[in-house]
Structures are given as C-alpha cells and as structure tokens.
Amino acid sequence: MTDGGADTADTDVGALGAYLRGVAMGAADAVPGVSGGTIALITGIYDRLIAAFTSASPALVRRVLADLVGDRGDLRTVFREVDGAFLLALGAGIATAILTVTRALDIALESLPVLTYGFFFGLIAASAVVLRHEFRVDTPVRAAAGIGGVVVAFVASGSASAALGVSPAATFVAGAVAVSAMILPGISGSLLLVILGQYERMTDALSAFVDALIALATGGSVAAVVDTSVPVVAFLAGGVVGLLTVAHAVRAALSARREATLAFLVGLVVGALRAPVVRVGEEVPAWTTGVLAEFAVAAVVGALVVLGVERAAGGIDLD
C-alpha cells in the first residue's frame, strides 16, 4: 500500500470511472456495516484512494494557503500531488449516492423502523464476522483493546443522543470521526455515526437541507436553506479536519500496533450491535414475537449483503 503522495499508476481510471466508483462507495457508506473502503478494494482503487487521502496534511494546507496569496501557479502542482482530478470525480459520485440513499433511508427509518434497524443489525454483525480473520487476540494488550472497543461502543450506543448530543460541535466531531473509517475496508463511517447516536439525525438533517435547496429553486426561502445547512456544514467541516488528523492517526496506530488497533476497531463493531436493538425499542411499545421475527428476517438479509460483498472482494485485506 502506498503511503506517500498519490500514485496514479495503481489504477488508471478516467473521470467517469472514478465517478461511478464513487457512486458505489457512497451507496455503501450510507448504510452501517458496509464500508466504502471495501468497495474501493473491489473496484481496484483502494491504494490510490489511501495515497490521495494521506497526501493531505496540515503542511499541505499551509502550502496551499501560502500559494493563494503568492505564486498561484504552484496550486496546479499541489492539485496533481493530491490526485485532485481523481478525488473530485470520486467525491462527486460519493455525494450523488449519499444524497440519494440517505433520502431513501430517512423514509425507511420513519415508516419501517423495525425492518430498517434489523437490516442494519445484520450488516453490522456480518461485518464483525468478515473481519474475524484480520487480527489475533492472543496477548493481554490485544484482548484489552478488543474489550475496550466493545465497551466504548456498547455504552455509547445506549440511546439516540447519549454519545455526543445535537450541537454543531457534536456534529463536527461526528464528521471528523466518520471520515476516518473511509480508509478501512470493513469499518463503516455510518456505523460510527450509529455508535455516536448521530446517524438518524444526520440523515434527517441532510434530507431537510436537500428539501430546502429544492424549494429554493422553486421560490422557497433562503433562510430555510441557511437554517438547515448548519448541521451539514458542521459535519463536512469535521470531515475535512478528520481527513487531516484522525485518518492519519488511524494509519499511524495501524502501523505501530496493527493487531491491537484492529482488535479495538472490531470491538467497536461488536459493541455497536446494541444500537439497532435500542433504536427499535424506542420505536415500538414492546418486543413482541412479530417484531422479533420482522427484525430477524431483515437482519438475515443485511448479513447476506455484507457476505456477498466480502465474497466479491475475495476476502478483505487490511494490510
């Protein structure tokens, strides 16, 4: 895997190819349990994506800011160094899919919460199964890391707002954490949002923002767009900061203590299984036999989706 600047020799895809791969990644990232990193692995752009991501750094940002007030011609060099054309096309595809899929999920969470959260449960559970071969818990440190991940996710998944709250600062943190998952096939950014109690809130916020934009095009209020943009902008800003900080920290942790870091990450996945169960409990009066059966069937479907993706990938490799 490339660790330095973006290397386009890996998979030389054009703008359309990058866009379509972005659509597939965005669709995967929109649901907990299926990772956009896995889709990048399947479609042959994983190394190129990681190289482009890790080429972004605070030093690069300072260089860009200096170029904005100095030699702007150097900006083209920076753009090539970060594989900017590839990232723009890929990002456009991811945004297209996320805007589409989150709208559908927002409706599903509202009208079919048991089926939707059951599906999420299956996605998450199968992700933990898929990742079981990626690490060994054969030392006290690794065992402690795995247990720590389970405990953190289990406690944080206790209620829809327990983890971070609903302030712009909380949304910023959620964005910073979620974007770090894009560098790991098998770990979903949406899953981290579920753990943090931000998933349903962010799908609602994004749908409301898109609705306000559509309304503006037909004579709606600018104030509505501004009001609904606050959580979206905070999340995106957090994502940018996460790209420059959290993603690099995850990569450094994997390089220094790969097995322990993976044990912690998979522990997060296992602990997050509490979240869909808690959310269903908040939506229905009681866990009746019918509710349990509905949840279980949806969970099986979700698990089959992840196992099918993993089979297509030929096995996930986090090296």
Side-chain angles (χ1 to χ4, degrees), residues 20-21 86 95 104-105 114 157 202 233 253 266 273 281 290-291 296:
L20 293 176
R21 286 166 170 80
F86 168 74
L105 288 173
V114 177
S157 301
M202 287 312 303
V233 171
V266 176
L273 286 169
V291 169

Side-chain angles (χ1 to χ4, degrees), residues 166-172 201-202 205-206 208-209 212 222-238:
V166 297
S167 68
T171 307
F172 179 91
R201 175 171 172 257
M202 287 312 303
L206 187 56
F209 178 63
V222 174
V225 174
V226 174
D227 289 341
T228 56
S229 70
V230 173
V232 176
V233 171
F235 186 86
L236 292 175

